[in-house]
Amino acid sequence: MTQLDRDQPVVYRPAEDSGLLAEAAIAGAHGRVLEVGTGSGWVAEQIAAECDLDVVGSDRNPHAAREAYDRGVEAVVADLLEPFRADAFDTVCFNPPYLPTDPDNEWDDWMEQALSGGESGRAVIKPFLADVDRVLAPGGVVFLLVSSLTEYEAVLELVTAAGFSHTVAREASFPFETLTVLRLEAVDNSDA
């Protein structure tokens, strides 16, 4: 069991990446929405308020799910997409843990889990992309935040391998990284 240090935050706070994901989702979300890794629930709350959509938040961290719920977001404790049924959502949003982290320097706490993307920064992106099509309804979209720290081209290869086309929904550069929100749509190979 992860120990809690009451002096340290245990839930990811909204930052530049959160704002960028919220902007992209507000501009393009439709139908029933899932925000994976909701953290404080701020992004889900923005989407629900601005788009008047039914939004569900999920997070592995029970403290995050509770905080999102306290914001008025229907929230569940979940590991990525595991508990959700097929075709359940028209829009899925995800700001994954993406910071490349040396495994010898990782801490076993909730904030580390919210930030660390493993050695490549893509450790959580890969299983997410492998399963997101299952929960996505026909005609659904995914908004995935990607950092330049995760080797952008490598993420695009994972996106293509998972059967999605992609466009840039939002992008912003900072001194230490460029953040991009990709809009993903399933590629229809029925005519192939």
Side-chain angles (χ1 to χ4, degrees):
M1 179 88 184
T2 302
Q3 295 293 322
L4 290 180
D5 178 347
R6 298 289 177 203
D7 296 329
Q8 297 297 319
V10 294
V11 176
Y12 184 75
R13 294 282 153 244
E16 294 86 359
D17 51 359
S18 309
L20 203 62
L21 180 60
E23 287 175 16
I26 288 167
H30 67 280
R32 186 160 164 82
V33 180
L34 170 65
E35 184 198 8
V36 176
T38 196
S40 70
W42 183 83
V43 172
E45 179 185 46
Q46 302 305 305
I47 297 167
E50 293 293 323
C51 300
D52 194 27
L53 296 173
D54 184 15
V55 183
V56 175
S58 71
D59 204 296
R60 291 182 65 204
N61 179 345
H63 307 285
R66 168 55 65 188
E67 192 167 317
Y69 178 81
D70 289 346
R71 276 187 188 272
V73 174
E74 180 183 347
V76 297
V77 177
D79 189 4
L80 295 176
L81 302 157
E82 183 270 325
F84 301 108
R85 65 179 172 73
D87 301 334
F89 299 99
D90 301 292
T91 305
V92 177
C93 306
F94 190 29
N95 178 2
Y98 61 74
L99 294 178
T101 310
D102 179 350
D104 294 333
N105 293 324
E106 285 193 12
W107 304 329
D108 184 22
D109 67 16
W110 291 118
M111 285 307 294
E112 183 75 32
Q113 291 181 33
L115 299 172
S116 175
E119 285 186 87
S120 69
R122 299 182 300 276
V124 181
I125 295 171
K126 190 172 184 177
F128 169 79
L129 286 172
D131 194 28
V132 70
D133 190 46
R134 177 183 63 79
V135 302
L136 203 60
V141 297
V142 177
F143 292 96
L144 175 66
L145 187 128
V146 179
S147 167
S148 56
L149 301 174
T150 64
E151 295 182 42
Y152 183 76
E153 293 300 323
V155 174
L156 292 184
E157 288 175 16
L158 292 173
V159 165
T160 301
F164 289 97
S165 64
H166 58 81
T167 55
V168 173
R170 292 284 188 277
E171 192 166 69
S173 292
F174 301 93
F176 53 92
E177 70 182 330
T178 297
L179 297 174
T180 305
V181 179
L182 296 174
R183 178 188 170 104
L184 312 180
E185 296 182 49
V187 175
D188 182 7
N189 289 324
S190 60
D191 295 335

